[in-house]
Each structure stands twice: as structure tokens, then as C-alpha cells.
Amino acid sequence: MLARKLGFGSVLLAALSLSGCQSVFEQSYQANVSPSASPQIVQEVQKDDPRAQMGAREHPRILASYGGEYHDAKTERLVAKIAGALTAVSDNPQQSYRITILNSPNINAFALPGGYLYVTRGLLALANDASEVAAVLSHEMAHVTANHGIERQRREEAEVIASRVVSEVLSSDLAGKQALARGKMRLAAFSRQQELQADTIGVRTLGEAGYDPYAAARFLDSMGAYQHYTSADPNADQSMDFLSSHPSTPQRVELARDHARAFGPEGSTGDKGRNYFLDGIDGLLYGDSPQEGYVRGHTFLHGGLGIRFDVPDGFQIDNKVEAVMATGPGDIAVRFDGVADTQNRSLTNYISSGWVTGLLPDTIRSTQVDGLEAATARASADRWDFDVTVVRLGGQIFRFLTAVPKGSDQLEPTANVLRSTFRRITPQEAQSLKPLRVRVITVAASDSLATLSARMMGTDRKLELFKVLNALPAGQTPAVGSRVKIIAE
């Protein structure tokens, strides 16, 4: 969570999306683009291209939603090298691209009209060779050359009238807001037909550029494994990201392999580019940036804000741009954020000032958290019960929102963990916090899966994450002398 999140607007419980535990709270801004696959920084898009003007309008909003640009000359050169090879054999070699690496740990990438392509550093960390990144880029370039973004904009314009009707008729109804959110997610994604078309074009471009054409299928498998790893509940709805819009279905993986077979049997054609790829991402920032705070197991720490707190065992923390989210068993969800304390009113008055829909006024109580002024309350809406806890620290108000299915007995225990573990950290603790990075190491003769995964930091599921990041099948151990990725300071 960034310090810039303080000063955020009000949190409206009526706007919560309640379709699954990972989307219980309203997610960050979703631009009118499609999550997809791509990376890098190349040439400036053509200034007289009307399609590029569409991309230019959305570009600042994309940066604001995904932590800005990630700058690392070595990684940028790597992505530019891959993109250049793809552009030369693409359906439109004259199309120029502006490819931005986003400073986000999420697995995400998307395309805008006019050649604006985006890929997160999280996606680069998951990939295992240059051909997998090329698969992502070629897929995104296919969306651009096929003008899918233009087609999507027409669908968005057609949806405006329907959206107005829904908002006017159901403006105070939670179901109406959920309907609007679902419509927004539909429009933010390319259609299934467009995705399959981009798959076909992308694999062909991948093979013609000399890369391993089977990389697309491999990366789809890796994304599926990562999705399973990151889900506290693998069956829950996922937030709007590359994994949700590009599901790693067995059918899609097999279609990608079918397209690749046109270039020859698997393992017999194309360059993977593993060594120069690993050189290019060695030292890549992994997970949260210092400005966003850090997630360490079940703990969130922020040196700049000077705070920390824990979530219960079994919860998964997701440090988003606009808030810290945590999801746990039984459809329990937590949101933590902060706002500027501009009026210095009592916290009981702040809770009742109108930003909480469904508030139960009789439940508002003054209290203390870590010796700081605090207040708590309960709220109820639709199928959910909520605990609201606010804490004042300096000129800021920190807010915990805990949601459980109505009638669950886990509301108070979950909220108590948050309140009892929230505390200020010392300057020495803040100074000791260091970001995690991708480190590339060579497997020694004395190494095993246990010794390699033991070097992983930032997770209590070390072996599982090590195998996912290195795309290791069950029962396979990296060969002596091979290079693998670990996460360390």
C-alpha cells in the first residue's frame, strides 16, 4: 500500500463486489483495455496515428493503476531485443510499439490501440526463458495488428446506454452495482474469439521469429500453476488480471501446441533463449516495492508509514495499489487502507460520517489499538457482516474492513487478530526492511530441492513457490550445473 493512498476517497461498502472471496472489496481501477500478455520499451508510437491517440489517453491511467514504470536498463534491453525480433516478422512490420514494463508484482499484460503494450515485472519473474516472454509479446502484438482494441471500443460505446439504465433504476441497489461491475469486466477483456485469434497469430509470429513455438503452451501451464499457488481458495473468483482473462484451460494449452506443431516436433525447433533471459532478470525486483510496503508471510510491514500487522493463518495477502487485501478460508476478506485526517474529528464521528453503508450505529465504540486512539463498529449488507476498525496515527487514519458471510462466527476472531497485531515499528525495524529480488544461481552437486528452496525468502511455502517459478514438474530436481531462480534480498 503506497503512502499516496492516504487521502483516498471514502470506502463505500455498498459498492463491494461480493461474487467471491478475492473480490469482496471493490478492486482497483480497471482501464478500458484487455488484460493480456506483453512487455518492454521500444520506439515511440506514431504521433499522427488516431489509434495511438486512444492509447495515449489511457496510458497515464494505466501507470497510476500499476505502480508506474519499472526502470532497469538490463531488463529493458532484454525486452526490447525480444520485441524487435517479433516486430520484424509480424503481420504489420511498420507498426511501431511503445512497450512499458509496469512496476507491479501481479501477473498481467495488456494492449491498447496504436501499439501501446504493457507487461508487469511480475510476469517477467514468472517466465523462464526469452521465448515465453516472446509468446506473451507476440500475442499482444496480434491484438494490436488485428485492431481488437477498436472493436472493443465499439462494444463499450454500445454498452453505455444499458449501463445508464442499470445505474438509474438500481442506483441504490447492491445487485445493480454488481451488474455494472460485471459489465465493466466483460468490456475490459477481449472476446474469446479475439483471444483465440491472437493465440493463432502469436504462435505463428513466435515461430517465424526463430523462438520456440511451444513457449506459449508452456507459459500457459506456468500461469495455471501460479494461479493455483496464489489462490487461498482455488475455486474462488479471481481479480481482474491476466490470469482471469487468459485462463490456462487444457483446451487452450492444447490448441497452442497444435499451432506450434506446424514448425516441427516439440524440442526440435526454435530458440528458448534461457541464458540471456536469466541474465536479463537477475536482480529483478520481486513482490512489493519499498513504496508499497512489504508482505512477509502473514505480516504486512511499511517502513514509510511506520506500521505493521498480521493476518490469521491460512490467509493470503495481496498488496494492491489502492489497498492491502487479504482473503482466507470460508469467504473471509480483509481490506486495509489509509486516508488523510484533515478534520481531526473524533473517530466515532468519523465512522458515522456516511462512508460506511449498512452501518449499525449502536455498535460504534471508542477503543485503543497499540496505545493509539481507535474506534470500531459493525455493518451489515446483503449476505455479509462487516467489522470496521479505524486507528489514528499522526495525520492519518488507518482503516480495517473485515467481511464474513452473514452469520459466520469468524468476524470477531479475524478482526481481533488485526487489532492485536497492529503496531508502530521502530526506525531500526524500518531501516532493516529490504526488497526481495529474483536471484539466479547455479545448482551445485550438493544441492537438492530442499536446499535450493530453503534459500527462498518472503514466503512460508518455499518449496511450492520454487517449483512454480522454475516450472518444475512433480518429482523433478534441477540438474547439476543448471541455473534456477530463487527469491532473496
Side-chain angles (χ1 to χ4, degrees):
M1 185 186 79
L2 285 174
R4 69 168 178 263
K5 291 168 189 165
L6 305 175
F8 219 64
S10 62
V11 174
L12 301 174
L13 291 181
L16 301 183
S17 171
L18 302 175
S19 59
C21 71
Q22 290 204 347
S23 56
V24 166
F25 296 107
E26 190 173 45
Q27 302 299 309
S28 60
Y29 163 75
Q30 297 298 337
N32 295 326
V33 299
S34 98
S36 167
S38 93
Q40 313 156 324
I41 314 173
V42 193
Q43 307 171 13
E44 197 87 61
V45 288
Q46 300 162 348
K47 292 184 173 59
D48 58 350
D49 185 348
R51 296 169 301 175
Q53 294 172 11
M54 295 170 58
R57 286 194 299 269
E58 292 285 0
H59 181 68
R61 302 168 75 180
I62 295 293
L63 295 182
S65 297
Y66 286 91
E69 293 188 41
Y70 178 73
H71 293 294
D72 179 274
K74 180 174 61 172
T75 307
E76 291 171 18
R77 284 194 300 269
L78 166 69
V79 179
K81 174 180 179 178
I82 299 169
L86 295 170
T87 302
V89 299
S90 71
D91 285 354
N92 182 8
Q94 281 69 49
Q95 171 70 56
S96 57
Y97 295 93
R98 173 171 178 163
I99 309 180
T100 302
I101 302 175
L102 296 170
N103 189 21
S104 169
N106 295 329
I107 312 298
N108 212 341
F110 21 83
L112 292 177
Y116 280 76
L117 305 180
Y118 303 86
V119 65
T120 60
R121 57 176 170 80
L123 189 147
L124 296 178
L126 180 61
N128 271 283
D129 56 51
S131 67
E132 292 184 2
V133 176
V136 169
L137 282 175
S138 61
H139 179 100
E140 288 315 310
M141 290 177 172
H143 280 310
V144 173
T145 57
N147 285 322
H148 288 165
I150 305 295
E151 295 175 26
R152 182 180 51 220
Q153 185 187 45
R154 294 194 187 105
R155 285 192 287 124
E156 291 168 356
E157 292 168 351
E159 184 98 356
V160 168
I161 295 177
S163 296
R164 286 176 181 163
V165 171
V166 171
S167 62
E168 289 169 4
V169 175
L170 301 171
S171 59
S172 62
D173 180 42
L174 182 61
K177 292 177 180 177
Q178 287 180 310
L180 284 174
R182 287 193 297 269
K184 185 177 184 181
M185 290 178 72
R186 285 196 305 269
L187 292 174
F190 288 124
S191 71
R192 174 177 172 79
Q193 181 180 359
Q194 289 171 333
E195 291 296 350
L196 293 176
Q197 183 183 7
D199 280 349
T200 303
I201 298 172
V203 171
R204 185 180 71 235
T205 303
L206 189 64
E208 291 178 352
Y211 287 109
D212 177 6
Y214 291 87
R218 287 202 312 277
F219 195 63
L220 284 169
D221 282 337
S222 287
M223 287 192 301
Y226 186 80
Q227 183 179 37
H228 182 81
Y229 169 80
T230 55
S231 285
D233 177 1
N235 297 315
D237 289 349
Q238 301 300 305
S239 60
M240 192 63 185
D241 61 10
F242 184 72
L243 295 174
S244 61
S245 66
H246 293 68
S248 179
T249 63
Q251 296 87 347
R252 191 173 179 206
V253 173
E254 188 53 39
L255 281 173
R257 289 199 171 95
D258 282 344
H259 297 318
R261 290 186 184 107
F263 294 90
E266 188 166 3
S268 68
T269 180
D271 177 34
K272 290 185 177 180
R274 179 168 170 81
N275 279 327
Y276 72 80
F277 171 78
L278 292 177
D279 289 342
I281 66 164
D282 191 14
L284 179 74
L285 186 65
Y286 182 85
D288 305 313
S289 66
Q291 294 77 23
E292 296 283 351
Y294 300 104
V295 175
R296 296 291 185 267
H298 295 113
T299 303
F300 175 77
L301 310 98
H302 199 303
L305 299 178
I307 59 168
R308 60 165 290 161
F309 64 86
D310 297 339
V311 298
D313 290 343
F315 275 61
Q316 178 77 32
I317 302 179
D318 187 2
N319 189 12
K320 294 180 176 292
V321 172
E322 82 286 5
V324 178
M325 313 288 288
T327 54
D331 286 354
I332 305 173
V334 173
R335 175 186 172 118
F336 172 78
D337 68 4
V339 294
D341 182 15
T342 57
Q343 300 185 29
N344 198 32
R345 55 187 156 182
S346 73
L347 290 182
T348 54
N349 286 341
Y350 172 70
I351 284 183
S352 61
S353 62
W355 61 278
V356 180
T357 298
L359 179 69
L360 304 176
D362 293 345
T363 66
I364 300 176
R365 300 283 186 274
S366 294
T367 187
Q368 286 195 338
V369 171
D370 190 37
L372 300 168
E373 179 189 356
T376 65
R378 293 291 173 86
S380 184
D382 194 51
R383 298 181 295 110
W384 303 89
D385 290 331
F386 301 93
D387 178 275
V388 183
T389 298
V390 294
V391 183
R392 173 177 280 130
L393 177 58
Q396 302 157 4
I397 296 175
F398 294 111
R399 311 186 294 193
F400 288 102
L401 301 177
T402 304
V404 302
K406 188 161 287 186
S408 169
D409 60 0
Q410 292 304 303
L411 182 59
E412 186 65 20
T414 303
N416 274 339
V417 170
L418 304 172
R419 287 190 288 261
S420 64
T421 59
F422 179 91
R423 69 172 177 83
R424 291 158 286 186
I425 61 176
T426 67
Q428 292 76 18
E429 286 178 300
Q431 191 172 10
S432 69
L433 293 174
K434 295 180 181 179
L436 297 177
R437 298 186 181 275
V438 175
R439 301 296 184 187
V440 178
I441 62 172
T442 301
V443 178
S446 58
D447 279 325
S448 64
L449 275 179
T451 62
L452 291 168
S453 61
R455 300 171 67 174
M456 299 278 289
M457 299 178 64
T459 177
D460 55 0
R461 298 156 65 193
K462 297 184 177 186
L463 177 59
E464 188 177 353
L465 182 57
F466 177 79
K467 292 169 70 174
V468 169
L469 288 181
N470 290 284
L472 289 175
Q476 181 174 318
T477 301
V480 174
S482 65
R483 303 171 75 193
V484 294
K485 297 177 290 182
I486 63 168
I487 306 302
E489 290 181 348

